[in-house]
Amino acid sequence: MKIGIPKDGRFGDFGGKYIPETLAPAIEELERNYLKIRNDKNFKKELGRLLIDYAGRPTPIYFARNLTKTVGGAKIYLKREDLLHGGAHKINNTLGQALLAKRMGKKRIIAETGAGQHGVATAMACASLGLKAEIYMGYVDTVRQKQNVFRMELLGAKVHAVKSGSKTLKDAINEAMRDWITNVDSTYYLLGSAVGPHPYPLMVRDFQAVIGVEIKKQMKKIPNAVIACVGGGSNAIGTFYPLIDTNTKIIGIEAGGKGVKTKLHSAPLTAGKKGVLHGMMTYLMQDKDGQISETHSISAGLDYPGVGPEHAYLKDEKRVEYKAVTDNEVIDAFLILTRTEGIIPALESAHAIAHAIKISKKMKKTESIVVTLSGRGDKDIDIVKEYLSKNVKNKRKI
Amino acid sequence: MSKIKEKFKQLKSKNESALISYIMAGYPSEKATLAAVRGLIQGGTDIIELGFPFSDPIADGPTIQMASTESLNSGTKINNFFSIVKKIRKESDIPLVLMTYTNILYNQTYEKFILRAKQAGIDGLILPDMAIEESKEYVKAAKKVGMDTIFLVSPNTEKDRLKQIIKSTSGFLYMVAVFGTTGVQTKIHKYTIDALKNTKNAAKGKIPVGVGFGISTDKDVQKYVSSGADAVIVGSANIKIIENTPTSKIQTRIATFTKKLKNKTK
């Protein structure tokens, strides 16, 4: 299977550019410039250096021997994106796009953020490259991830709390797009996930593919399975893409919330329907009139009704299997990893851990699984604490 | 000939420009919407643009966002929308345009939705997030039943692209006056007037050009009409009147406001 640059911005049926006309010239300019630097040696060199000495690449691959022993199945390896500067994989993409913005002569950067990790990574990249950053964040998220709001502000970014709609990630994207429409000449929109109109899904995948490329190099042989969590899907597509043409089993984990049979989840690939949102055609959670549904996840970073178009394509092509795990399973996985390995995972990443635990039991001890640990969980400890105070069963496991 | 095309032809023979008035269906209620429609007709508007709310209206400013949210919260479904359209059709044959977002149509398939809209009495469609590159299937489905597809152009739309958009447009071409979302009022920029001239040139002999976004006073209407606009679209200003008026008085107030605007198109 070979994907490369999607023709007409489409991965099969998915993707495209469903955008207000005012953005058409900006998207064209972006596409032109991105395709130019995509194979530019100097750009690659500059970004490569930043990824090494600023962001902390390559990240280690860690054999989680205690977790493996506790679960008692296949060997579980962790790709430690949580060790990157800023505490998540997001910096891989923000450095790339901020460098591109700088080359395009744009001085004002806007971005959306859910959990705040992309906002922080944008603020860091902008501070280090001398760019002005403004971040849109849903009001609900500014409350549940308030530490990240202050981090962004400390880094010199301006944070706008978005109070329209469901006041979460999707509304932050709406507001960032409105800002872009209004300030289209001066502003670069630095999207944080593999979503949005073409060329964003391509660009974000390319910048995140460093994850999968390193996994391939670091593992002595191709693992039997790789697992990553999927919200918009940037760490997942970065993990999966370089492994697409191997025979490894690839699994993406969506946020099952309180269960995919309830309405309280964020799992469009598992329980959604094709549609158009935020400039792309993809699977969406929507009602029978086509109104986008409100989503739920214990992790702010996965609380999104859509998903990157390349994932939608990989699902339809049956190259990647997409599953959902519930909030409850996520908390259990969070606790297990924390206690057995001394690693506090982001709740987003704990989704992938939860599924790894499930399947490793059924695999042979000689087999191996790589899980992308996309971020660290310091930002989530208040949420976990609150959850445990309400759910005694999980608490007993501490 | 489509109802919209016919309307422009009539107006041209009288040397008038069209006033196009936008309101949001179901905001704040079906009753208020019907009262507003009566007011618009009474005030002499030429075409009515009826919005159907979408949960994520990225091209809309605060006023229409608010109206969308309120309309959805009050329970407006697509079935209610078509029932409003049918009620209007019992009273008037004024050209009716539906403005909504792509997903609302795509959800039911372009073909089924457009057929249903046509049967209810809709004459044209405006989808602010439908880019020309993605529109093949949509335009095909609309053509099949004689539904006008009204595309938007912006002051920064390049020449070749403008030509391409004009080819797919029927009814009228909707030129966005400002860089921004709906309803955000600014002064009238020179770049808008320049863009209007360029757009008119490109559309000459092919399709009328309407200007919208941020137009709220009779002075604005006069300025755009004297600069060559074939139509002027007023939206958020109507929503603001409806927001601040009890349902029993909506018809009169909308009629008074509309009359004032319409006078400047003559």
Side-chain angles (χ1 to χ4, degrees), chain A residues 110-181:
Chain A
I110 56 168
E112 82 297 339
T113 196
Q117 291 305 100
H118 173 59
V120 167
T122 300
M124 284 172 169
C126 287
S128 82
L129 295 172
L131 300 161
K132 203 179 137 215
E134 289 186 38
I135 314 292
Y136 288 91
M137 186 170 185
Y139 175 74
V140 170
D141 295 333
T142 62
V143 174
R144 61 178 163 174
Q145 304 274 310
K146 56 177 178 289
Q147 202 192 357
N148 271 343
V149 175
F150 190 53
R151 279 171 92 195
M152 287 184 263
E153 286 168 350
L154 280 174
L155 289 159
K158 192 172 174 192
V159 180
H160 302 277
V162 177
K163 293 190 173 168
S164 56
S166 60
K167 305 179 181 69
T168 59
L169 180 56
K170 91 176 162 75
D171 310 284
I173 297 179
N174 292 342
E175 213 48 45
M177 284 191 146
R178 290 182 189 119
D179 179 317
W180 198 23
I181 292 170

Side-chain angles (χ1 to χ4, degrees), chain A residues 30-218:
Chain A
L30 178 62
E31 188 179 357
R32 200 172 56 241
N33 279 280
Y34 177 62
L35 292 178
K36 205 165 73 190
I37 59 100
R38 195 171 184 259
N39 296 310
D40 179 309
K41 272 188 193 146
N42 288 329
F43 182 88
K44 279 188 174 171
K45 212 169 132 189
E46 198 178 352
L47 177 59
R49 210 187 53 233
L50 279 172
L51 286 174
I52 294 168
D53 57 25
Y54 182 74
R57 297 215 76 91
T59 59
I61 199 135
Y62 169 69
F63 171 44
R65 48 181 67 74
N66 300 331
L67 178 65
T68 300
K69 212 173 147 189
T70 307
V71 177
K75 291 189 186 74
I76 301 172
Y77 291 84
L78 305 177
K79 177 61 175 163
R80 298 291 308 273
E81 295 297 293
D82 61 316
L83 293 176
L84 283 171
H85 181 46
H89 70 290
K90 294 291 185 189
I91 195 91
N92 300 328
N93 170 48
T94 59
L95 284 173
Q97 285 199 55
L99 263 186
L100 170 61
K102 211 173 167 180
R103 288 210 173 186
M104 288 168 68
K106 307 273 181 185
K107 297 212 165 55
R108 180 176 180 264
I109 307 291
I110 56 168
E112 82 297 339
T113 196
Q117 291 305 100
H118 173 59
V120 167
T122 300
M124 284 172 169
C126 287
S128 82
L129 295 172
L131 300 161
K132 203 179 137 215
E134 289 186 38
I135 314 292
Y136 288 91
M137 186 170 185
Y139 175 74
V140 170
D141 295 333
T142 62
V143 174
R144 61 178 163 174
Q145 304 274 310
K146 56 177 178 289
Q147 202 192 357
N148 271 343
V149 175
F150 190 53
R151 279 171 92 195
M152 287 184 263
E153 286 168 350
L154 280 174
L155 289 159
K158 192 172 174 192
V159 180
H160 302 277
V162 177
K163 293 190 173 168
S164 56
S166 60
K167 305 179 181 69
T168 59
L169 180 56
K170 91 176 162 75
D171 310 284
I173 297 179
N174 292 342
E175 213 48 45
M177 284 191 146
R178 290 182 189 119
D179 179 317
W180 198 23
I181 292 170
T182 309
N183 303 293
V184 63
D185 260 354
S186 65
T187 298
Y188 182 94
Y189 180 18
L190 205 165
L191 240 168
S193 197
V195 300
H198 177 71
Y200 283 105
L202 166 70
M203 201 158 61
V204 175
R205 178 250 276 168
D206 286 352
F207 288 135
Q208 292 294 359
V210 66
I211 304 172
V213 168
E214 285 178 9
I215 291 174
K216 250 175 145 173
K217 265 190 219 156
Q218 289 165 322

